[in-house]
Amino acid sequence: MRIGVPREIKADEYRVGLTPAGVRELTDRGHSLFVETGCAEGIGFTDQDYREAGAEVLGGAAEVFARAQLIVKVKEPQASEYGLLTPEHLLFTFLHLAPEPELTRALMDSGASCLAYETVTDERGGLPLLAPMSEVAGRLATQAGAHHLELHQGGRGILLGGVPGVPPAQVTIIGGGVVGAQAAQMAVGLGAKVTLLDKSLPRLRELDERFTGRVSCEYATRESLERALPHTDLLIGAVLVAGAAAPKLLSAEQVGQLPSGAVLVDVAIDQGGCFATSRATTHGKPTYVEQGVVHYCVANIPSAAARTATLALTHATLPYIQALAESGLEALSHNPGLARGLNVHAGRVTHPAVAQSLGHELLPVDSVSL
C-alpha cells in the first residue's frame, strides 16, 4: 500500500505520524512510504533519516495526500487539509470528533474512511493507542501545573513539594484512568499531597494498593469535590468517555471556589473540556485567568515532549498501521478493536458516541461494506 506521512500543521504540534524506524518496518514489508519534507525536524529526525528508511520525501502535503492511500497523522486534519482528502483515502489519526461538528462534516463530505486512534480498543476494552499519549499528558499535566504555580507565571507562588517546615501543595485529580494515575505518580514523586477522585471502586482499590497510602483515593461525589476545592492548589481534570464529549464536572461558580492563584489543568480539552470555564489554548499561549484561577487547557499537551511522544505513539500504532497497509478496510473484519476506531466512512458517522454527541444518524460499523 502507499502510505503518506504529512507534516503536522496544528499550532505548536511537533509530533509526527511515524518515526524513521516505523517507516523502515513498513518499507521492509514492501509498502511505499511518502513523507513530507521537514515533517520531523523539530524532534531531530531529518529527511535523510527517512530516505535511509526507504521513504520518498515530497515537497508538500498536497503531494503526500495525492500519492498515498493511507494517511497516517497525529492530530485531526486542519481546515487547509480538508480538501486534500478523497473517497480513496484511509485516514488514521487522533480525531476527537465529539466537540467538532465542522471537522466531522468536512470528513463526511470528503468521503474518506477515517479511523480515530482514541476509539481503537484492545481485547480487554482498553484504549491502546490513546494510552501512551495519556501517559505523557498525565505526567506533563503535573509538570505544567507545578510550573504555573510559580508566582511569575501567575500562580500562588507555591512549591509543589514544599520544604522542611512548610507544607507541600495540595493536588486534586479528578479521574483515575491512565492520565490521572500518571499525574498522581508525578505529583507524589515531587512531594505533593495528592487526592484522587473516581467513581469506580475497583479502580480506587487498585490505585490505593499501587500508591500504598501516598495518595488519598476517594469516591467522587459532588460533596467530596466541593469539599476539596478550597484547599486545592493544583486541580487536574482527567476524565474520559471514549469518543464522546467530556462531561462538565465543575460550573464557573465552583471553579471560583479554588484559591486565588490556584492552577487548573484540563487534560480533557481535546474532547471539549471537563470544566465550564475551559477553552482550548496553545503551547505558545498556554494559560489564561478566569475566576482568579490560572487555566492551562492546551489541546495537544504531549507535543511539549514531542520526541518522547512520537516514539511512544509509533510503538503503539505500528501494528495497526501494518494491518491496514496489508488489508485496507478488510483489516477491520479481522480485528473488532480496530473496527471501533472507524468514526466516519463514505459520508456517514460510524461511531455511536460521535453520532450521539453531534446528532448524526449512525451507520453501524458491522453494516459497512469492507
Side-chain angles (χ1 to χ4, degrees):
M1 181 174 280
R2 302 188 306 276
I3 304 167
V5 182
R7 177 200 285 264
E8 298 295 324
I9 59 173
K10 189 181 177 88
D12 302 315
E13 182 55 70
Y14 299 101
R15 289 172 291 177
V16 66
L18 279 169
T19 62
V23 165
R24 183 175 178 181
E25 291 294 314
L26 291 161
T27 56
D28 283 350
R29 290 172 175 244
H31 303 294
S32 299
L33 270 291
F34 304 98
V35 174
E36 184 176 355
T37 182
C39 66
E41 62 185 3
I43 55 174
F45 295 123
T46 67
D47 288 351
Q48 186 59 30
D49 293 330
Y50 283 101
R51 290 189 184 97
E52 291 175 358
E56 183 177 345
V57 177
L58 301 178
E63 294 177 74
V64 173
F65 278 77
R67 298 282 294 276
Q69 300 162 282
L70 171 60
I71 301 294
V72 178
K73 284 176 46 58
V74 178
K75 294 302 292 180
E76 71 280 358
Q78 304 300 291
S80 63
E81 297 173 307
Y82 294 169
L84 301 179
L85 286 165
T86 72
E88 286 69 44
H89 280 129
L90 282 172
L91 173 67
F92 198 30
T93 188
F94 285 113
L95 289 174
H96 301 291
L97 293 180
E100 296 287 349
E102 180 183 338
L103 170 62
T104 303
R105 172 51 61 185
L107 296 182
M108 294 169 69
D109 290 345
S110 76
S113 298
C114 306
L115 293 97
Y117 293 156
E118 73 273 9
T119 61
V120 172
T121 64
D122 58 24
E123 61 277 1
R124 297 167 296 177
L127 303 172
L129 306 187
L130 185 62
M133 296 303 92
S134 295
E135 290 167 346
V136 174
R139 296 186 179 206
L140 284 173
T142 297
Q143 186 170 302
H147 176 62
H148 289 286
L149 274 172
E150 296 173 11
L151 197 63
H152 66 284
Q153 297 297 327
R156 303 189 71 201
I158 291 178
L159 183 64
L160 211 63
V163 294
V166 180
Q170 170 64 56
V171 177
T172 300
I173 301 167
I174 310 174
V178 176
V179 169
Q182 295 295 321
Q185 182 173 320
M186 284 291 283
V188 166
L190 290 170
K193 183 179 179 183
V194 182
T195 298
L196 188 149
L197 303 170
D198 197 273
K199 285 187 173 294
S200 168
L201 286 174
R203 181 59 173 169
L204 289 172
R205 292 189 184 100
E206 180 183 338
L207 291 170
D208 185 62
E209 182 177 349
R210 170 175 170 176
F211 288 112
T212 60
R214 294 172 296 164
V215 172
S216 177
C217 298
E218 298 185 18
Y219 189 80
T221 63
R222 182 175 297 274
E223 191 277 334
S224 63
L225 182 54
E226 289 182 344
R227 185 177 67 246
L229 292 176
H231 312 289
T232 294
D233 301 298
L234 170 57
L235 177 66
I236 297 175
V239 296
L240 173 72
V241 180
K248 291 294 186 284
L249 304 176
L250 292 180
S251 66
E253 181 181 358
Q254 289 171 316
V255 169
Q257 295 175 22
L258 290 162
S260 179
V263 175
L264 176 157
V265 177
D266 193 342
V267 187
I269 194 65
D270 270 342
Q271 294 290 132
C274 58
F275 304 117
T277 51
S278 296
R279 58 181 185 269
T281 61
T282 66
H283 289 289
K285 191 175 181 181
T287 64
Y288 59 91
V289 177
E290 191 163 327
Q291 299 284 69
V293 175
V294 179
H295 287 58
Y296 180 94
C297 303
V298 174
N300 56 336
I301 291 175
S303 186
R307 186 177 175 96
T308 296
T310 294
L311 290 165
L313 183 61
T314 295
H315 296 160
T317 59
L318 187 57
Y320 296 92
I321 295 170
Q322 289 171 334
L324 290 169
E326 296 291 339
S327 305
L329 273 182
E330 288 186 10
L332 277 59
S333 63
H334 309 304
N335 187 331
L338 181 57
R340 293 186 186 98
L342 190 65
N343 280 210
V344 174
H345 172 73
R348 303 281 297 279
V349 173
T350 54
H351 193 280
V354 175
Q356 183 176 12
S357 295
L358 296 177
H360 287 292
E361 181 182 357
L362 176 69
L363 173 66
V365 172
D366 57 12
S367 67
V368 170
S369 176
L370 303 177

